[in-house]
Amino acid sequence: MNSDKTRFEVVVDRSRCCGYGLCAAICPSVYKLDADGLVYVDSKAVPPELEEEAREGAEACPAEAIWLEEIKSEGE
C-alpha cells in the first residue's frame, strides 16, 4: 500500500549543528547525537509513523541544521 511508504527523508547539515540536542530529545527514534553532541541519523528515510515527530524535532533546531524533504516517486 502506498500510504505505508516512506515519503520524507531527513537532511542534516552537521556543519550548522550546535549540539543543542532538542531534535534527539523530541524524536530519539530518528535523531541521534554523537560523542560531541552533534546530530546524525542512522537512516535518512523517515518511517511514516514517525513523520510528525521527526518534523517537530527538525523544527525545534535553533541552528536550522535539520529539515525534511519530500521523496519524489518516479514519474512525478
Side-chain angles (χ1 to χ4, degrees):
M1 205 179 252
N2 279 350
S3 62
D4 293 333
K5 286 188 174 182
T6 299
R7 297 184 339 184
F8 292 92
E9 67 180 12
V10 177
V11 179
V12 175
D13 183 349
R14 286 177 47 94
S15 69
R16 295 179 70 173
C17 180
C18 295
Y20 290 99
L22 295 174
C23 55
I26 292 170
C27 189
S29 299
V30 173
Y31 306 114
K32 314 290 185 200
L33 300 178
D34 67 12
D36 295 320
L38 301 179
V39 67
Y40 72 93
V41 293
D42 289 329
S43 171
K44 290 176 66 171
V46 178
E49 67 274 11
L50 294 175
E51 206 172 280
E52 184 176 337
E53 195 177 341
R55 187 174 303 286
E56 289 175 11
E59 290 173 355
C61 179
E64 297 180 349
I66 308 166
W67 59 95
L68 300 185
E69 288 186 352
E70 188 171 4
I71 296 172
K72 300 288 186 191
S73 61
E74 290 184 34
E76 281 189 36

